[in-house]
């Protein structure tokens, strides 16, 4: 294999890498995809819900064939205290087509399917191999080294995910800092399709996304999530790494606490646990994107390039991963036409990303991480909401307090007018 | 109410191909700052870090390969961190 030179080597068979490889193969280029897992998807974890617009652009009609779980038709947001929960449920009632829809998804199944599609398109797949480093000649990336075996290509696309040790080695990216990433910890629990339909009041093929702030993380920055799959539930928590140690509860215990919450336990009771997983989520937003997404002979995309928005209640990175893989391929196809893989030519990728929805959306939420740093949101807001709701609905025959006065009182107990105003300003800035 | 399930039991749900001959994560056993150690112990979703009798211990068996310990410790407790060799470690069937 070492004698051969490929047009491109893609490192990482997640959504970003699979998309890049698929597009290059469609353009008749010789492309090798190397994945460290046994098969593509075997190392990948998401929440998750995939917004399908970017996959739809890539493979129109894919949703009919792909192993997607349920189309999300109901959104539930919950503010939780130790025992209470204020739930808000929303259903648009509109029948979204796949340019606007979202589906629950299990990545081990989805990526495996996608890898078969890429292979059919002509990608040479090499799973079960870890890439150790990029090969550099005269300051230019010329290939990769995997366990002593060297493979060469005109260009290497790094789609190796959030722990992109390879782009750190090349100096394209610095080591992750605790405030830039959150740890996601998740379980998949099997339940009958019909039981899920009943518990969530949904039809076959339709599902609910539940996003939770407050108690699951004990006021730490982060939250809980629950997605209905076809015949299982994905349930997990996301907690910012810089907050770990703020309270004396471990990450796995936060997940247990969430699962046992009185408002959550009935939703999963009787289920059979299938898997326990963990994964980091980039959440530094726009300011975390590496300054340069390319160098001589190399590009980075997906989580490796930190293309993720974390809105606290929801994480979105999969549609960005797909789009960035597609744009990386587009730049590489142009570079091939020009016969030049220097940083100058590959800088087209940066241009394409900056002109895409990836940048527009990430820019729009650029101040969001700042808002999320405010612990009031995860601590006080759910508690105040809980107190107010409790007052509203508890009847005990004693003298009633007028609700507005009670609300003002509860808020005043926890914060000052200045702090509140300050929070509102940060919130407006973030939105 | 359902009872709390231990992390060890949960790791039992998963498929692992543990590489006995290669520890992809190495720790500094002599590291002593309790506050930093506490953070890593709380952080690891697989509960693989233990702090007992003033000593931190670690086993890579059951690692979910998330990278949290590396980031949280900032190079202090965790001396080196890599992905396991290809095909080794956890194999997620759901994701
Ligand atoms: C708990 C959680 C909840 C989330 N929820 C959502 C959600 O609901 N919606 C959403 O859109 N996004 C969500 N995200 C984010 C989303 O999952 C990611 O943005 C997306 O998976 C990134 O895809 P990727 O292809 O860039 O990286 P990955 O899917 O991580 O793929 C990277 C691949 O590279 C491989 N690899 C790494 N290093 C090497 C190496 N040296 N050699 C060979 N192979 C290597 C890995 O094995 C892996 O297959 C969530 C993330 C988490 C963790
Ligand atoms: S990588 Fe994750 S699961 Fe593995 S030891 Fe570190 S924190 Fe624990």
């Amino acid at each position: 294999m070492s004698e051969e030179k490929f047009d491109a080597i893609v490192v990482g068979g997640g959504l970003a890498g699979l998309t890049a490889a698929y597009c290059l193969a469609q353009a008749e280029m010789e492309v090798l995809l190397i994945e460290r897992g046994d098969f593509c998807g075997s190392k990948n974890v998401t929440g998750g819900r995939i917004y399908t617009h970017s996959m739809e652009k890539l493979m129109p009609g894919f949703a009919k064939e792909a192993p997607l779980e349920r189309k999300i038709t109901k959104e539930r947001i919950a503010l939780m205290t130790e025992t209470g929960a204020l739930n808000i449920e929303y259903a648009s009632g509109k029948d979204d087509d796949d340019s606007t829809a979202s589906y629950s998804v299990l990545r081990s199944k989805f990526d495996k399917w996608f890898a078969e599609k890429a292979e059919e398109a002509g990608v040479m797949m090499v799973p079960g191999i870890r890439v150790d480093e990029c090969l550099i000649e005269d300051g230019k990336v010329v290939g990769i080294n995997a366990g002593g075996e060297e493979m060469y290509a005109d260009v290497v696309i790094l789609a190796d995910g959030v722990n992109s040790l390879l782009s750190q080695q090349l100096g394209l990216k610095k080591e992750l800092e605790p405030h830039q990433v959150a740890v996601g910890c998740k379980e998949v629990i099997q339940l009958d399709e019909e039981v899920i339909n009943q518990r969530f009041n949904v039809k076959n093929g339709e599902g609910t996304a539940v996003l939770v702030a407050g108690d699951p993380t004990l006021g730490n920055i982060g939250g809980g999530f629950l997605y209905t799959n076809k015949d299982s539930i994905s349930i997990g928590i996301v907690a910012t790494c810089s907050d770990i140690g703020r309270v004396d509860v471990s990450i796995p215990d936060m997940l247990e606490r969430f699962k046992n919450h009185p408002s959550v336990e009935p939703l999963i009771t009787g289920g059979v646990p299938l898997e326990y997983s963990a994964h980091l989520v980039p959440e530094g937003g726009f300011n975390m994107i590496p300054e340069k997404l390319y160098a001589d002979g190399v590009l980075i995309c997906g989580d490796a390039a930190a293309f993720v928005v974390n809105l606290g209640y929801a994480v979105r990175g999969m549609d960005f991963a797909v789009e960035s893989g597609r744009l990386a391929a587009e730049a590489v196809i142009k570079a091939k036409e020009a016969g030049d893989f220097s940083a100058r030519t590959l800088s087209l990728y940066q241009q394409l990303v900056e002109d895409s929805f990836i940048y527009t959306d990430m820019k729009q939420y650029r101040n969001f991480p700042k808002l999320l740093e405010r612990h009031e949101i995860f601590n006080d807001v759910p508690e105040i909401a809980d107190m107010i709701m409790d007052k509203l609905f508890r009847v005990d025959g004693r003298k009633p307090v007028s609700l507005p006065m009670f609300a003002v009182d509860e808020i005043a107990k926890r914060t000052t007018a200045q702090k509140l105003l300050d929070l509102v300003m940060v919130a407006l800035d973030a939105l | 109410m359902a009872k709390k399930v231990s992390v060890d039991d949960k790791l039992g749900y998963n498929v692992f191909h543990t590489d006995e001959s290669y520890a992809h994560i190495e720790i500094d056993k002599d590291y002593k700052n309790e506050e930093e150690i506490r953070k890593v112990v709380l952080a690891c979703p697989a509960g693989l870090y233990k702090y007992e009798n003033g000593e931190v211990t670690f086993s890579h068996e059951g690692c979910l390969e998330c990278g949290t310990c590396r980031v949280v410790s900032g190079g202090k407790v965790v001396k080196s961190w890599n992905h396991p060799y290809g095909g080794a470690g956890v194999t997620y069937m759901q994701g």
Side-chain angles (χ1 to χ4, degrees):
Chain A
M1 203 186 279
S2 49
E3 295 305 304
E4 208 178 340
K5 184 178 168 195
F6 294 91
D7 289 325
I9 293 175
V10 178
V11 184
L15 290 178
L18 285 166
T19 304
Y22 176 81
C23 292
L24 292 173
Q26 279 201 318
E28 312 272 305
M29 289 175 64
E30 272 195 40
V31 46
L32 181 72
L33 184 147
I34 309 178
E35 163 58 45
R36 69 184 184 88
D38 270 343
F39 57 87
C40 291
S42 65
K43 298 289 185 185
N44 301 343
V45 180
T46 195
R49 146 214 304 233
I50 183 166
Y51 288 94
T52 41
H53 63 111
S54 46
M55 272 306 291
E56 179 63 19
K57 193 155 59 180
L58 194 70
M59 273 186 224
F62 86 103
K64 286 188 197 69
E65 185 194 333
L68 293 166
E69 298 295 319
R70 287 175 187 248
K71 192 171 187 168
I72 302 299
T73 54
K74 282 192 177 166
E75 314 279 350
R76 191 183 296 172
I77 292 181
L79 296 178
M80 261 180 203
T81 57
E82 193 175 343
T83 52
L86 166 62
N87 283 292
I88 303 169
E89 191 167 282
Y90 172 73
S92 80
K94 293 188 191 113
D95 185 21
D96 288 303
D97 66 35
D98 290 327
S99 61
T100 52
S102 68
Y103 292 79
S104 48
V105 67
L106 292 164
R107 288 287 297 283
S108 183
K109 300 176 186 180
F110 189 84
D111 292 13
K112 198 173 179 188
W113 168 84
F114 196 176
E116 281 160 19
K117 289 279 146 192
E119 195 159 20
E120 276 168 30
V123 176
M124 193 170 152
M125 291 287 189
V126 183
I129 303 267
R130 181 186 79 183
V131 173
D132 297 318
E133 59 179 1
C134 290
L135 297 173
I136 299 172
E137 279 173 18
D138 304 326
K140 182 184 177 306
V141 173
V142 294
I144 58 95
N145 172 8
E149 181 149 17
E150 300 186 339
M151 294 173 224
Y152 291 85
D154 285 328
V155 64
V156 173
I157 298 179
L158 297 180
D160 51 343
V162 60
N163 289 307
S164 178
L165 303 181
L166 298 172
S167 57
Q168 288 179 18
Q169 281 169 7
L170 292 176
L172 281 168
K173 205 177 129 174
K174 292 203 193 75
E175 172 60 295
L176 303 167
E177 300 210 19
H179 70 275
Q180 291 181 316
V181 280
V183 50
C185 187
K186 165 180 167 182
E187 259 179 64
V188 179
I189 299 172
Q190 187 176 33
L191 268 182
D192 279 353
E193 189 171 7
E194 194 47 45
V195 172
I196 294 177
N197 293 352
Q198 281 166 9
R199 287 187 189 173
F200 292 87
N201 192 18
V202 288
K203 291 191 268 192
N204 273 355
E206 296 185 350
T208 304
V210 187
L211 304 157
V212 187
D215 191 72
T217 51
L218 290 105
N220 276 12
I221 301 169
F225 61 83
L226 185 157
Y227 294 95
T228 54
N229 302 315
K230 186 168 181 289
D231 54 8
S232 67
I233 302 271
S234 292
I235 182 164
I237 58 134
V238 175
T240 294
C241 285
S242 53
D243 260 8
I244 293 174
R246 190 179 152 270
V247 291
D248 216 12
V249 178
S250 72
I251 294 297
D253 281 351
M254 283 182 188
L255 176 54
E256 279 308 290
R257 195 178 162 98
F258 181 41
K259 281 170 52 198
N260 285 309
H261 191 277
S263 72
V264 175
E265 201 264 340
L267 299 174
I268 56 171
T269 189
V272 181
L274 297 176
E275 190 166 274
Y276 177 59
S277 57
H279 202 281
L280 285 179
V281 191
E283 59 167 9
F286 189 77
N287 299 327
M288 187 182 166
I289 301 176
E291 206 175 312
K292 267 172 68 188
L293 302 168
Y294 59 92
D296 284 313
V298 66
L299 300 175
I300 46 176
C301 50
D303 272 12
F307 294 146
V308 175
V309 267
N310 177 15
L311 301 178
Y313 58 89
V315 179
R316 191 182 139 202
M318 287 189 273
D319 57 329
F320 293 139
V322 170
E323 186 72 2
S324 64
R326 195 178 69 78
L327 298 176
E330 202 175 312
V332 167
I333 292 166
K334 284 276 171 0
K336 167 100 177 162
E337 281 165 15
D340 173 20
F341 297 88
S342 67
R344 215 172 50 115
T345 315
L346 293 178
S347 69
L348 170 66
Y349 170 55
Q350 182 110 20
Q351 199 55 53
L352 292 170
V353 169
E354 286 178 14
D355 292 341
S356 74
F357 73 84
I358 301 176
Y359 249 52
T360 330
D361 290 10
M362 291 201 56
K363 237 188 190 147
Q364 186 184 344
Y365 293 114
R366 72 182 302 167
N367 291 323
F368 222 87
K370 242 199 232 134
L371 176 64
L372 295 185
E373 276 166 25
R374 304 290 297 243
H375 286 103
E376 293 98 309
I377 300 190
F378 300 98
N379 245 330
D380 296 348
V381 174
E383 275 184 27
I384 293 169
D386 183 71
M387 300 266 197
I388 294 173
M389 288 299 143
D390 190 59
K391 263 286 179 283
L392 199 54
F393 296 112
R394 186 187 297 272
V395 175
D396 59 7
R398 276 188 247 146
K399 186 169 166 279
V401 187
S402 89
L403 192 65
M405 275 321 292
F406 175 76
V408 170
D409 195 43
E410 274 308 320
I411 294 167
K413 264 192 234 156
R414 277 151 217 281
T415 183
T416 61
Q418 186 54 50
K419 261 171 85 184
L420 200 64
L421 188 68
D422 200 37
L423 179 64
V424 172
M425 294 312 284
V426 179
L428 287 177
D429 205 31
L431 296 164
Chain B
M1 188 143 89
K3 58 178 186 313
K4 210 173 94 177
V5 184
S6 79
V7 179
D8 280 350
D9 285 344
K10 290 195 200 194
L11 294 175
Y13 311 151
N14 295 352
V15 180
F16 286 102
H17 305 290
T18 305
D19 188 340
E20 309 282 353
S21 63
Y22 168 66
H24 62 284
I25 299 172
E26 283 178 332
I27 65 159
D28 177 358
K29 287 199 190 74
D30 299 325
Y31 190 79
K32 290 292 173 219
N33 183 325
E34 276 194 26
E35 188 44 35
E36 296 296 327
I37 294 171
R38 176 178 159 267
K39 275 197 251 171
V40 179
V41 171
L42 290 174
C44 176
L48 301 177
Y49 291 83
K50 304 259 182 328
Y51 184 61
E52 283 157 347
N53 310 322
E55 210 176 311
V56 55
T57 58
F58 171 77
S59 150
H60 69 284
E61 193 175 336
C63 175
L64 300 169
E65 301 165 31
C66 61
T68 311
C69 55
R70 187 188 82 247
V71 175
V72 167
S73 78
K76 279 176 260 169
V77 187
V78 178
K79 235 180 4 192
S80 70
W81 191 100
N82 205 335
H83 306 287
Y85 285 130
V90 68
T91 295
Y92 292 125
M93 303 304 288
Q94 307 289 326

